[in-house]
Amino acid sequence: MDKKDLRIVYMGTPDFAVESLRCLVEGGYNVVGVVTVADKPIGRHGSALQPSPVKQYAVAHRLPVLQPEKLKDEAFLEALRAWKADVQVVVAFRMLPEAVWAMPRLGTFNLHASLLPQYRGAAPINWAVINGEKETGVTTFFLDHQIDTGKVIRQERVPVADDDDAGAVHDRLMLLGGKLVVETVDLILEGKAEAVPQSSFAVEGPLHAAPKIFKETCRIDWSRPAKEIYDFIRGLSPYPAAWTEMLSPEGTATAVKIYKAGKRLSPHPFAPGTLLLQGKDTLCVAVDGGFIDILSLQAAGKKRLDAKDFLHGFKYREGMQVR
């Protein structure tokens, strides 16, 4: 079968998923339709609707689009069947019911942004960086009844540098993922997609999960060691961003997001969470085993600023804390 004859239905939502769709479309593959989320209200009163990045790409390239509210809705299933997909490709979408993933004759495969079985879940990139991993990657696997547990088709690895944040790793994996999706489709076309169980992969140490991240997940625990806090901040940057509260000596609290930080490992006499000013343009926090230098931050209701610019309008006083 030629790639122009293989009928592909693509499912995805965010920017991460656009690259794989682009690689398929511009590579001459036969994408017969796209499934994505419903347009979301935006603006002060929610009067305007914002389509997902995947929908924007699909519309620009005149691809048919379905936006089901419920994936088990019979009207959606009937429309999906009408596309007569040979294979479905899923990238950063949602959990599919069996009625959907079992529909194509050649199966449904997913691109996941980790080296499965590590980091199953909704936020694999964030958690890999938070946990200080030196390596991560992307995996394609066939969907089955459980989340992120299906048989693996292909994997590609990438190093994670000590100064990488989640945004940098996201972009690297997004590009690599697009290539891996095309390679996986080619294997399926050639009848060579010999998937293997995840249990066959050797894993050093415990398996790490990658659950969805909520606001309270992002609050910095300043009692942790310096390296852990540093990794936590970069693992949540640029989105959704780690946050804390700055406390004046009188106890007034200001919520602040921290996007970029540095770490210095050295002994000191300060209690963890003590906010310090070094020179005229450096804010740092004393923590277990050293200091966290705050390099880029955003106070509630304000713009994101470098620390030097932030300090122009910030009145530091001895005795300030973060919590």
Side-chain angles (χ1 to χ4, degrees):
M1 179 185 292
D2 187 86
K3 67 181 181 180
K4 293 181 180 179
D5 298 321
L6 184 76
R7 297 177 66 83
I8 300 171
V9 168
Y10 189 87
M11 302 182 182
T13 297
D15 287 327
F16 187 88
V18 174
E19 176 64 16
S20 293
L21 178 58
R22 184 193 68 79
C23 287
L24 290 171
V25 171
E26 297 181 15
Y29 293 83
N30 184 23
V31 179
V32 298
V34 170
V35 182
T36 190
V37 297
D39 296 355
K40 292 186 177 181
I42 59 171
R44 187 172 182 181
H45 303 291
S47 56
L49 293 176
Q50 177 72 44
S52 73
V54 162
K55 181 183 177 180
Q56 292 177 47
Y57 182 90
V59 170
H61 290 79
R62 299 180 180 179
L63 299 174
V65 177
L66 291 175
Q67 296 175 272
E69 293 286 349
K70 297 180 179 179
L71 295 177
K72 293 183 179 181
D73 181 79
E74 188 54 42
F76 163 66
L77 293 174
E78 183 177 350
L80 189 60
R81 288 189 201 101
W83 282 342
K84 299 179 181 179
D86 295 308
V87 66
Q88 291 175 155
V89 180
V90 183
V91 182
F93 188 48
R94 39 196 285 209
M95 185 176 179
L96 302 182
E98 185 174 2
V100 174
W101 60 257
M103 192 178 294
R105 66 182 184 88
L106 296 177
T108 299
F109 77 84
N110 180 267
L111 173 72
H112 188 74
S114 81
L115 297 172
L116 290 173
Q118 289 286 15
Y119 296 103
R120 294 169 176 156
I125 297 173
N126 298 101
W127 286 108
V129 180
I130 288 170
N131 288 335
E133 299 287 359
K134 300 297 184 185
E135 182 182 61
T136 187
V138 283
T139 302
T140 52
F141 67 97
F142 284 116
L143 292 187
D144 62 13
H145 292 89
Q146 303 298 319
I147 297 176
D148 299 336
T149 60
K151 291 183 177 181
V152 170
I153 308 166
R154 288 289 307 275
Q155 283 189 338
E156 290 288 344
R157 298 171 178 269
V158 296
V160 179
D162 186 61
D163 59 351
D164 280 336
D165 63 16
V169 177
H170 169 282
D171 293 350
R172 203 174 300 144
L173 294 183
M174 178 178 67
L175 296 175
L176 184 61
K179 295 178 182 178
L180 193 65
V181 162
V182 170
E183 291 174 7
T184 302
V185 170
D186 286 343
L187 288 173
I188 292 172
L189 265 172
E190 297 165 7
K192 297 179 180 179
E194 299 177 358
V196 297
Q198 292 185 27
S199 59
S200 65
F201 286 79
V203 177
E204 295 184 6
L207 285 180
H208 297 288
K212 187 175 181 179
I213 292 173
F214 299 95
K215 180 180 178 181
E216 197 54 38
T217 312
C218 302
R219 186 164 192 159
I220 300 169
D221 179 357
W222 295 103
S223 69
R224 306 300 300 171
K227 177 65 164 61
E228 289 186 18
I229 296 173
Y230 171 75
D231 291 340
F232 186 79
I233 291 170
R234 66 191 183 96
L236 294 170
S237 179
Y239 182 83
W243 66 278
T244 189
E245 289 182 324
M246 291 184 176
L247 295 178
S248 70
E250 295 77 29
T252 302
T254 301
V256 175
K257 290 182 177 180
I258 300 177
Y259 293 95
K260 187 175 182 181
K263 68 179 186 300
R264 289 179 287 129
L265 305 181
S266 62
H268 59 77
F270 304 102
T274 302
L275 187 65
L276 301 166
L277 181 64
Q278 293 193 335
K280 296 182 179 180
D281 57 6
T282 303
L283 267 178
C284 67
V285 180
V287 297
D288 182 15
F291 299 91
I292 296 295
D293 295 326
I294 301 175
L295 305 178
S296 177
L297 67 166
Q298 181 180 18
K302 305 292 184 180
K303 294 181 179 180
R304 176 178 172 176
L305 298 170
D306 291 338
K308 183 177 181 180
D309 294 328
F310 177 83
L311 286 169
H312 288 163
F314 178 74
K315 295 181 179 179
Y316 172 81
R317 284 183 288 166
E318 188 174 346
M320 296 188 77
Q321 301 282 320
V322 290
R323 68 173 182 188

Short mmCIF file of all heavy atoms in Angstrom, two decimals, residues 9 39 64 71 91-92 98 118 148 150 211 216 244 316:
data_model
loop_
_atom_site.label_atom_id
_atom_site.label_comp_id
_atom_site.label_asym_id
_atom_site.label_seq_id
_atom_site.Cartn_x
_atom_site.Cartn_y
_atom_site.Cartn_z
N VAL A 9 -6.67 9.10 10.38
CA VAL A 9 -7.41 10.09 11.18
C VAL A 9 -6.48 10.53 12.30
O VAL A 9 -5.88 9.70 13.00
CB VAL A 9 -8.71 9.50 11.75
CG1 VAL A 9 -9.30 10.44 12.81
CG2 VAL A 9 -9.73 9.31 10.63
N ASP A 39 -14.05 24.46 20.50
CA ASP A 39 -13.49 25.80 20.67
C ASP A 39 -13.78 26.30 22.08
O ASP A 39 -14.87 26.06 22.63
CB ASP A 39 -14.10 26.77 19.65
CG ASP A 39 -13.77 26.38 18.21
OD1 ASP A 39 -13.00 25.43 18.02
OD2 ASP A 39 -14.29 27.04 17.30
N PRO A 64 -10.98 18.08 7.05
CA PRO A 64 -12.24 17.97 7.80
C PRO A 64 -11.96 17.85 9.30
O PRO A 64 -10.98 17.21 9.71
CB PRO A 64 -12.88 16.70 7.26
CG PRO A 64 -12.21 16.45 5.95
CD PRO A 64 -10.82 16.99 6.07
N LEU A 71 -17.03 11.43 23.49
CA LEU A 71 -16.44 10.52 22.52
C LEU A 71 -17.26 9.25 22.30
O LEU A 71 -16.99 8.49 21.38
CB LEU A 71 -15.02 10.15 22.95
CG LEU A 71 -14.02 11.31 22.98
CD1 LEU A 71 -12.67 10.83 23.48
CD2 LEU A 71 -13.88 11.96 21.61
N VAL A 91 -2.08 12.35 19.48
CA VAL A 91 -0.99 13.11 20.11
C VAL A 91 -1.60 14.16 21.02
O VAL A 91 -2.29 15.06 20.55
CB VAL A 91 -0.09 13.79 19.05
CG1 VAL A 91 1.06 14.53 19.74
CG2 VAL A 91 0.46 12.78 18.06
N ALA A 92 -1.37 14.03 22.32
CA ALA A 92 -1.83 15.04 23.30
C ALA A 92 -3.32 15.33 23.12
O ALA A 92 -3.71 16.47 22.91
CB ALA A 92 -0.99 16.31 23.17
N GLU A 98 -12.92 2.41 23.97
CA GLU A 98 -12.59 1.32 23.05
C GLU A 98 -13.33 1.45 21.72
O GLU A 98 -12.79 1.09 20.66
CB GLU A 98 -12.91 -0.02 23.69
CG GLU A 98 -12.49 -1.21 22.83
CD GLU A 98 -12.67 -2.54 23.53
OE1 GLU A 98 -13.17 -2.54 24.68
OE2 GLU A 98 -12.33 -3.58 22.92
N GLN A 118 8.14 4.70 31.91
CA GLN A 118 8.31 5.83 32.81
C GLN A 118 7.38 6.98 32.42
O GLN A 118 7.15 7.23 31.24
CB GLN A 118 9.75 6.33 32.80
CG GLN A 118 10.75 5.41 33.47
CD GLN A 118 10.65 5.43 34.99
OE1 GLN A 118 9.69 5.91 35.57
NE2 GLN A 118 11.67 4.89 35.65
N ASP A 148 -1.72 4.72 28.73
CA ASP A 148 -0.27 4.71 28.49
C ASP A 148 0.40 3.37 28.79
O ASP A 148 1.56 3.31 29.19
CB ASP A 148 0.43 5.82 29.31
CG ASP A 148 -0.06 7.20 28.94
OD1 ASP A 148 -0.55 7.37 27.81
OD2 ASP A 148 0.05 8.12 29.78
N GLY A 150 0.00 0.51 26.53
CA GLY A 150 -0.01 -0.35 25.35
C GLY A 150 1.38 -0.74 24.88
O GLY A 150 2.41 -0.23 25.34
N PRO A 211 1.23 12.66 36.83
CA PRO A 211 -0.17 13.09 36.97
C PRO A 211 -0.38 14.53 36.53
O PRO A 211 0.57 15.31 36.41
CB PRO A 211 -0.44 12.93 38.47
CG PRO A 211 0.91 13.08 39.10
CD PRO A 211 1.88 12.45 38.13
N GLU A 216 -2.02 24.05 43.20
CA GLU A 216 -1.37 23.77 44.48
C GLU A 216 -0.14 22.88 44.28
O GLU A 216 0.80 22.93 45.09
CB GLU A 216 -2.35 23.12 45.45
CG GLU A 216 -1.92 23.17 46.91
CD GLU A 216 -1.57 24.59 47.40
OE1 GLU A 216 -2.26 25.56 47.00
OE2 GLU A 216 -0.59 24.72 48.17
N THR A 244 5.13 31.13 44.79
CA THR A 244 5.34 31.25 46.22
C THR A 244 4.69 32.55 46.70
O THR A 244 4.09 33.28 45.90
CB THR A 244 6.84 31.25 46.54
OG1 THR A 244 7.03 31.16 47.96
CG2 THR A 244 7.53 32.52 46.03
N TYR A 316 12.69 45.97 49.29
CA TYR A 316 13.18 44.89 50.12
C TYR A 316 13.46 45.40 51.54
O TYR A 316 14.02 46.49 51.71
CB TYR A 316 14.45 44.27 49.56
CG TYR A 316 15.10 43.28 50.49
CD1 TYR A 316 14.62 41.98 50.56
CD2 TYR A 316 16.15 43.66 51.33
CE1 TYR A 316 15.19 41.05 51.45
CE2 TYR A 316 16.72 42.75 52.21
CZ TYR A 316 16.24 41.45 52.27
OH TYR A 316 16.80 40.55 53.14
#
